[in-house]
Amino acid sequence: MAIFTGAGVALITPFKADGSVDYDKLCDVIDYQIDNGTDSIIITGTTGEASTMTVEEHVECIRVCVEHVKKRVPVIAGSGSNCTHTAIEITREAQRVGADGALVVTPYYNKATQKGLVEHFTAVAKAVDIPIILYNVPSRTGCNIQPKTAKTLVKTVDNIVGIKEASGDISQVAQLMYETQGDIDLYSGNDDQVLPILSLGGIGVISVLSNVAPRQTHDMVMKYLEGDIVGSREIQLKYLEVINSLFCEVNPIPVKKAMELMGLCGGTLRLPLTEMTSDNTERLKKALRDTGILA
C-alpha cells in the first residue's frame, strides 16, 4: 500500500533572521498545509534546505514535524546524503522519531555508477523498516537512476516502494513504468509535469507548488485520479506561470519569497542561497496575483 496518494508538499524550512530554524513557524506552516488538503508532509528535502543543516538540526526538524502532525497525514523524511553512512544514520533517526517513510536522494557531487546506486539504496533501505521512496533529480545531483536500476531495487528490496521522478524526461519515466510493471509508486517531482506523469501511472506529486497552493495541487491530482481529466488539466495550466515563477531562480529561493509575500513565514535563506532579484520578485508577485493566491 502506498505511503500516500495525492499531493505531498515538499515543505520549506522557516528560518529566523539569524538563520536558526524557526520551529514555531514550522508548526504553523504544517497546520496551514493540513488545513488546506495536503496529503503528506515531506520534511527536510531539497526545498527544506536540508543540505545546509547539521545532522542534529535535520533530525530535530523531522521530530518536531512528526510530533506536531500527530498522524493527521503521513510524514516522509528527506534523509539522503552523498555519504551512504550519513544517509543510513539520518534514515535510522527518522525512523526512531516516528517518520512514516523516507525520501532518499541519489548521491550528489561524488555521484555513483548504476551499480553504486543499487548498493547505496540497498544499504540505506536495509538499515530500517520504514518504506523508502527513491528521489531522482539529476539536474541537481548529476546522477540519474536508470529505469533498469529502479527495477532492480524495487524487485529486490522489500521496503523500496516508490520513486520521486524529477528527471524531466517523460520517455525515461515511461520506460521506468514499463520495466517495473506497476510495482513502484510513482510521484511527479516536477510541478509542470504532474498530469503527464499521472497519465503514465503516477499516484501523486511531491510538490513545491503545494507550499503556496496546497488545495489546488491536491485537487489537480485527485481530479485526475477520479476521472476528471479536463478539470485536472485546467488546474495544471492555470498555475503553470506560478510554477515557472517558482523555478525562475534556484529552488527554494522563489517559494520562500512567495510564502513571505503571503505572510506565511519569513523568507530567510541560508547561504549559498541568496535573496531573489527584484525583477523575478515582480514576476512572481504577478503570477500569484493573477491566480488569486496573492491578493
Side-chain angles (χ1 to χ4, degrees), residues 17-188:
D18 65 1
S20 60
V21 178
D22 190 337
Y23 292 104
D24 290 338
K25 192 58 68 174
L26 176 62
C27 292
D28 289 345
V29 296
I30 288 168
D31 287 337
Y32 173 77
Q33 288 296 314
I34 295 173
D35 291 346
N36 285 280
T38 285
D39 299 292
S40 179
I41 304 291
I42 294 81
I43 189 81
T44 60
T46 302
T47 309
E49 297 176 76
S51 59
T52 63
M53 292 180 182
T54 65
V55 171
E56 292 74 20
E57 287 176 320
H58 197 145
V59 174
E60 183 65 5
C61 282
I62 299 168
R63 186 194 66 78
V64 168
C65 182
V66 168
E67 292 191 0
H68 190 72
V69 168
K70 293 184 172 66
K71 296 294 182 182
R72 288 176 286 171
V73 297
V75 173
I76 299 170
S79 62
S81 172
N82 66 328
C83 171
T84 305
H85 175 80
T86 303
I88 288 172
E89 177 187 5
I90 296 172
T91 308
R92 280 176 171 162
E93 286 295 292
Q95 175 174 284
R96 181 184 65 81
V97 301
D100 297 290
L103 178 70
V104 182
V105 73
T106 53
Y108 40 85
Y109 186 70
N110 51 352
K111 306 192 290 186
T113 63
Q114 296 300 301
K115 177 177 181 290
L117 291 178
V118 170
E119 294 191 13
H120 172 81
F121 286 119
T122 299
V124 175
K126 288 191 172 182
V128 295
D129 299 318
I130 56 175
I132 301 294
I133 298 174
L134 310 174
Y135 181 13
N136 192 36
V137 59
S139 65
R140 293 192 78 123
T141 65
C143 193
N144 185 26
I145 305 174
Q146 295 292 339
K148 288 185 183 297
T149 301
K151 174 185 177 180
T152 297
L153 287 163
V154 77
K155 298 286 188 183
T156 59
V157 186
D158 289 344
N159 62 327
I160 293 179
V161 300
I163 188 167
K164 176 184 176 182
E165 242 301 337
S167 67
D169 185 342
I170 294 298
S171 296
Q172 177 172 304
V173 177
Q175 188 66 32
L176 164 72
M177 296 309 278
Y178 169 77
E179 295 287 350
T180 57
Q181 292 295 298
D183 286 339
I184 197 165
D185 295 330
L186 173 65
Y187 299 97
S188 175

